[in-house]
Amino acid sequence: MSIHVSNVTKLYGEQKALNEVSFKVNSGEVIGFLGPNGAGKSTMMKIITGYIPQSSGTVEVCGIDVREDSLAVRKKVGYLPEHNPLYTDMYVREYLAFVAGVHGASKSKVDEMIEKTGLTPESHKRIGELSKGYRQRVGLAQAMIHDPEVLILDEPTTGLDPNQLVDIRKLIREIGKEKTVMLSTHIMQEVEAVCDRVIIINKGEIATDKKTTEMQGSEGTVILNVEFDEPVSASALKKIAGVKRVQHVEGGHYLIEASEARDVRSDVFKFAVDHGRFILQSHQEKAKLEDIFRSITGQK
Ligand code: ADP
Ligand code: MG
């Protein structure tokens, strides 16, 4: 087991950013930690890497309790923070040599990482002169320089252009062959492209934890996108046979996740009539990963 999070709650003053979160990551897995902005992704990652303490619950990385021995954990973990703070005045090679020194890693690691992350043509430049894509490569190189078992990457592709995105995803897939990787993102396609498993977090709680293939093969799941003239009771909608989940989008607009085997459309129509509501529009689609994410998080 690489990461074991158990009943972790995090309070920032009054605000609960994480609520009793539990999950496990096996070694060698590439996990997508998916959720909308403010879901608690960065908070969870900072706790796993030992940068901030949880309010309650336990986190173990490679069997080491993060609160008991955060230094030992940092040796096992490479971390690319969300707003990758790099020293923009330093040269790429100089910066990586500096990071290697901090970790007590050998100088040869610098060349190895430059090569591995495709930084060779840019390695003589100042970090401040690099494009965002190359800066992310520097961030990945610094995260891996001490050869950690586990990599925690907080939104590694945010802000990259489409070409850079493809390159960095490819690089992460390569890295994932050797290491346990947990990456956060708010982009569903990223998970499909890179991850073995997806954990969806919403409002500080785990909403789903499944293999990517299981999610994609949510065979027999449909999403009924329905708009009533006014809000209805979501819990009453959920009682309709075959309905798995109901997400309120806004006003009278709902996403209903249902089993394909039992066509719920006529029941939803009957529901509207029984409750004196009109259906303004409704359409049903076979659920794709993207739809399931929306139905779980209420994203439009
Ligand atoms: P994500 O990375 O999924 O966007 P975060 O973990 O950054 O989410 O934030 C989760 C929640 O905690 C948000 O509501 C955010 O405003 C709040 N939060 C994050 N950091 C702090 C902090 N240092 N102080 C107070 N609230 C915070
Ligand atoms: Mg974040």
Side-chain angles (χ1 to χ4, degrees):
M1 189 82 54
S2 274
I3 304 173
H4 189 173
V5 172
S6 141
N7 300 102
V8 166
T9 292
K10 175 69 184 179
L11 294 162
Y12 290 113
E14 295 274 280
Q15 203 205 332
K16 205 178 252 188
L18 295 173
N19 186 23
E20 298 282 319
V21 170
S22 300
F23 61 88
K24 291 174 186 172
V25 182
N26 299 313
S27 33
E29 270 188 313
V30 179
I31 294 274
F33 200 46
L34 183 72
N37 284 330
K41 303 181 295 296
S42 297
T43 300
M44 190 70 248
M45 290 181 143
K46 285 179 201 160
I47 292 171
I48 294 171
T49 50
Y51 282 86
I52 59 170
Q54 65 269 39
S55 306
S56 61
T58 56
V59 177
E60 283 180 9
V61 178
C62 304
I64 306 160
D65 187 305
V66 175
R67 271 206 296 207
E68 274 169 22
D69 198 348
S70 77
L71 273 179
V73 166
R74 285 187 204 192
K75 285 192 184 138
K76 302 262 183 202
V77 174
Y79 176 39
L80 176 65
E82 187 169 21
H83 304 290
N84 184 11
L86 296 167
Y87 295 93
T88 49
D89 281 340
M90 284 177 99
Y91 293 92
V92 172
R93 186 176 295 279
E94 179 194 17
Y95 170 68
L96 292 175
F98 162 72
V99 179
V102 170
H103 284 294
S106 79
K107 283 266 186 291
S108 67
K109 272 279 169 195
V110 174
D111 290 320
E112 192 188 320
M113 285 304 124
I114 286 175
E115 160 107 52
K116 193 171 207 158
T117 54
L119 275 166
T120 311
E122 307 284 303
S123 62
H124 62 285
K125 291 190 184 167
R126 277 186 212 273
I127 292 172
E129 294 165 3
L130 300 181
S131 69
K132 171 96 186 168
Y134 276 100
R135 282 193 209 191
Q136 285 303 72
R137 289 167 195 259
V138 176
L140 285 168
Q142 69 74 30
M144 292 192 295
I145 208 149
H146 55 305
D147 206 16
E149 285 173 42
V150 178
L151 272 175
I152 305 284
L153 312 175
D154 197 353
E155 305 217 13
T157 62
T158 298
L160 301 186
D161 72 34
N163 291 326
Q164 295 170 336
L165 202 77
V166 169
D167 290 347
I168 295 285
R169 283 182 187 162
K170 195 166 147 220
L171 182 57
I172 294 170
R173 273 200 303 272
E174 281 300 311
I175 295 166
K177 288 181 187 160
E178 293 165 19
K179 302 194 183 295
T180 306
V181 179
M182 178 172 179
L183 72 90
S184 72
T185 177
H186 54 268
I187 310 162
M188 189 47 118
Q189 292 89 323
E190 186 139 297
V191 171
E192 293 186 293
V194 186
C195 305
D196 308 321
R197 208 172 105 208
V198 53
I199 295 177
I200 300 182
I201 180 169
N202 191 36
K203 298 188 181 127
E205 297 186 5
I206 303 289
T208 298
D209 180 345
K210 280 197 177 125
K211 290 220 160 70
T212 314
T213 48
E214 272 175 56
M215 288 279 284
Q216 285 162 330
S218 285
E219 283 299 320
T221 299
V222 293
I223 302 284
L224 181 62
N225 192 324
V226 57
E227 191 176 355
F228 300 97
D229 57 337
E230 277 180 40
V232 298
S233 155
S235 54
L237 267 178
K238 198 154 181 252
K239 292 208 180 89
I240 295 173
V243 170
K244 296 180 191 170
R245 196 195 311 269
V246 175
Q247 181 69 46
H248 187 196
V249 181
E250 64 184 348
H253 188 185
Y254 296 82
L255 296 172
I256 300 172
E257 196 183 317
S259 93
E260 195 176 21
R262 193 175 187 315
D263 194 337
V264 300
R265 284 175 294 186
S266 53
D267 292 325
V268 171
F269 185 77
K270 185 166 181 300
F271 172 95
V273 173
D274 291 348
H275 290 76
R277 296 272 64 87
F278 294 104
I279 292 179
L280 301 179
Q281 56 171 333
S282 127
H283 57 96
Q284 181 167 291
E285 293 160 14
K286 241 183 123 41
K288 296 193 292 285
L289 213 47
E290 184 75 19
D291 303 318
I292 294 171
F293 176 55
R294 282 164 56 217
S295 100
I296 291 169
T297 62
Q299 298 280 294
K300 274 185 247 173

